[in-house]
Amino acid sequence: MAVIKISKNNISNRLQTTSLATKRTRGAIINFKYNKYGKVVISLLISLLLSCYQINMVSCSGGSSSLLGDWSHSIDLDENYRVFWSIVDQEITFEIQVRTTGYVGFGFSPDGTIYAADMVVGWIDAGQPYFQDRHIKKHGDGEPVVDPSQDYILLLGYGNDTHTVFRFKRKLDTCDSSHDIPITNNTMKILFMYHNLKPQRGSITPGSLPSPSEAFKHVIPVFLTQRSINSSTLKNQHLDFIDLKNEDAQLPYLDETVHWCKMFKLSQFSKKNHIVRYEPVFDSPSSKMYLNHIILYECHGSSPEMEIMSREYGKMCPQPSVARPFGCNNIVATWVRGSDGFAFPEVTGYPLDSNHARFYLMVTQYANIMTDLSSLHNDGMVDNSGLRIYYTSKLRQHDAGVLSVGMQPNWRHIIPPGQDSVVSEGHCVEECTKRAFPKQGINIFATMMRTHLIGKSVKLRHIRGREELLPIASDLNTDSRYQEFRLLDNPIKSYPGDRLIAECIYDTTRRSTLTLGGVSTREETCLVFTLYYPRQKELATCHSLPSLPTVLHSLGIEELAVGSNPVQIALPVDLAGMSLETRLTTYDWDTNFELFQRVTRKGSFKPMCLNAKGSELTGTRDLESFSPNISKTWRQPPTCSFKYYGSNNKIHSMYNSRNKYVTEPESNLDASSFNMNEESDILDADDEGNNIIQIAARSKTSRSFDATLTNNCVRLTNNNFTLVCMMIIVSIFYYYKNVTRRWTLC
């Protein structure tokens, strides 16, 4: 659908051109006298032009001077709540479309609860929007209260018989450290609410929001600062695609969670191709609400079991870690709710070659997020969603590879209970990178940071010699429900002899027993998967594992009894005869936690340098290593929310933390890629049962024109603009017919 924008500049230019033309011909052509009909027509023409001008100016007030033609990202938080957002420079603009005529709320939680949350609340009353920047007190009653500093700017607000819509913007970091949460390159926990009632007469006093505890819904993890996929570049290439979809996967009933496994055999790629992009393919709007994440593993080798699985429809995974027994270690693609998919940089692609790997395992997690359990389907509903893999036979400059860095899943990875910050480190040591990395180094361009249920932050540290460089990636608010490949702002070079450290911090305050490392959800992990180029064939897994002496020392054990079964302690004397299991379960972690942390972080560990088939690299079997002796460390610089005083006593604000804010410069945005055809596709994809956009956008109480919403302005659709033009043409014709005979020459 073609779109014509009417802007102030266009109107001004046209009026100016008309004025100049009139001056040139004055005295030679026209000196018109018009009757009463002419006055009416002229008034109508002026009114129409001013209306077009007014729509543009009023709707754009407070907006950016450089407009996006469409939103960069969107997500359905539940079946009634849709969010759009785009980032330009250091500002983020949101639009929320909610199926309610009461009040709505949207914001961010620091820890997954409502307390200390930063949010906005709004409603429409008699066509008038009410909108406030609010927060929830950390030790309050749970009702959002109005901020003393209003840092969210309302751009648009309206409602109809079914929906309420608000568009607003804010700075990524508002510098209101008391009540606002900075939007950073961490996983953001979105808090949302809606109710069918609204405050009376626009009241914002405490207690005026009807039943806020009932209005609050879920907390949804989302990576807001993800970079947009540059679809215009891919459109210029000849790409093929293959859909890897589930076949009648059984959706969970009520609040259950299901992991579904489907094996694919791709034997048709006799020559190497490059995967350049992937995106989700949804079966239906109803089943889409159950999709939580999809992970595609590359499997090495073959077996009769893999062959049989590839011929089956799929089945429930016996456990989420089912990929490992089949040698499916490399994660090729991953999608989570709220993600748009992933596109590789133009210089690289992931090799798709049946001579290298034929089997791929797709693990899909289904979980219900609908708020009204009574409206759920009957037991037995199925889904056929999956991933669309775009590939090309025109090979790019480099093959991409996957390198796993972190802690080897094993019981020696011990995480004590009752602590708010337990640090674990998995090392990819210098000896491994020296043997595997090419002389010119590798370029890491994306990472996926992974923990299970109690992980709260992950960082991929980068050590060169005795100097710690900027972290390659970090997420200080990680969430096990939202882990995907994230494109770095710029590729990071890592050379032979560098050390990479996956540092994970866990919060175990809600656990009364210790947690051990492993692959199940109840156990824990600390891994960072990196996408890099050029691909090297030596190293696929670069992990470490605490040595047995380090583990024993951290538990106050000097010596184990030789040949005992179960394993028993020999020394010290006061522990003699106690089993190792008993020591683990009865250890006084509160008293000995600091000693445990010091020993595990400074003690020896076993490096594990493995190739894609799980075999150790030559010469690495007997390696033993320790934490590096770093003389120059890296510290997180403050932002404007956390100022510091320099040597001259002046306040400084720093933004040079790598990937603190991952946004694309305004000049890099391809305006041509934001068109109404793409938006129409989105509208058409919704069925009537989940049609949030259409209903909200096509029946407005606060606007006389049916306008299509863009990032910061209202833009007339083609039909509306055509109607206006037809009215102007008819008016001109009528004017000409009735008035032209009264024109006289000067």
Side-chain angles (χ1 to χ4, degrees), residues 486-698:
R486 300 180 181 180
L487 195 65
L488 302 181
D489 200 24
N490 293 293
I492 306 303
K493 181 80 75 172
S494 183
Y495 291 101
D498 284 359
R499 178 180 292 214
L500 305 176
I501 304 175
E503 178 185 284
C504 301
I505 299 180
Y506 305 93
D507 181 354
T508 63
T509 52
R510 297 184 180 181
R511 291 198 172 180
S512 57
T513 59
L514 62 83
T515 303
L516 300 178
V519 293
S520 71
T521 305
R522 173 63 187 176
E523 297 167 316
E524 262 305 334
T525 191
C526 177
L527 296 174
V528 178
F529 294 94
T530 67
L531 281 172
Y532 70 92
Y533 65 85
R535 184 176 190 173
Q536 46 79 30
K537 298 181 180 179
E538 292 291 326
L539 189 63
T541 299
C542 198
H543 294 173
S544 68
L545 186 64
S547 66
L548 185 58
T550 296
V551 173
L552 297 179
H553 186 195
S554 69
L555 298 172
I557 300 172
E558 298 175 6
E559 186 178 330
L560 295 176
V562 178
S564 58
N565 187 17
V567 179
Q568 293 184 340
I569 301 172
L571 294 174
V573 176
D574 58 337
L575 299 179
M578 180 185 294
S579 68
L580 178 59
E581 181 180 358
T582 301
R583 181 60 171 171
L584 285 169
T585 55
T586 61
Y587 196 51
D588 187 351
W589 294 108
D590 289 335
T591 302
N592 299 296
F593 175 71
E594 295 299 331
L595 172 64
F596 168 84
Q597 277 280 252
R598 185 167 62 253
V599 171
T600 53
R601 298 188 68 183
K602 297 298 182 182
S604 63
F605 57 82
K606 162 67 177 171
M608 307 188 72
C609 314
L610 310 177
N611 60 25
K613 296 182 179 180
S615 303
E616 292 182 309
L617 269 61
T618 303
T620 63
R621 178 181 296 274
D622 298 323
L623 285 179
E624 183 181 37
S625 189
F626 295 84
S627 294
N629 184 15
I630 301 174
S631 59
K632 184 178 180 180
T633 60
W634 179 88
R635 292 289 182 267
Q636 175 72 48
T639 67
C640 69
S641 291
F642 305 95
K643 297 181 175 67
Y644 73 98
Y645 287 87
S647 57
N648 55 0
N649 290 324
K650 291 184 178 180
I651 295 179
H652 295 268
S653 299
M654 297 184 65
Y655 293 92
N656 63 348
S657 173
R658 172 177 293 149
N659 299 317
K660 182 69 175 177
Y661 304 108
V662 179
T663 61
E664 292 184 282
E666 195 170 346
S667 59
N668 290 347
L669 294 171
D670 182 9
S672 63
S673 66
F674 300 102
N675 58 64
M676 292 310 302
N677 289 329
E678 294 178 3
E679 186 170 12
S680 299
D681 292 340
I682 298 175
L683 294 178
D684 295 339
D686 285 336
D687 66 355
E688 294 180 358
N690 190 39
N691 194 350
I692 297 178
I693 305 178
Q694 277 186 309
I695 298 174
R698 293 188 179 178

Side-chain angles (χ1 to χ4, degrees), residues 245-249 260 262 264 312-314 382-385:
K245 298 194 293 185
N246 290 308
E247 297 182 63
D248 295 338
W260 191 264
K262 169 65 178 168
F264 298 92
E312 297 175 339
Y313 282 95
V382 296
D383 174 66
N384 294 280
S385 300

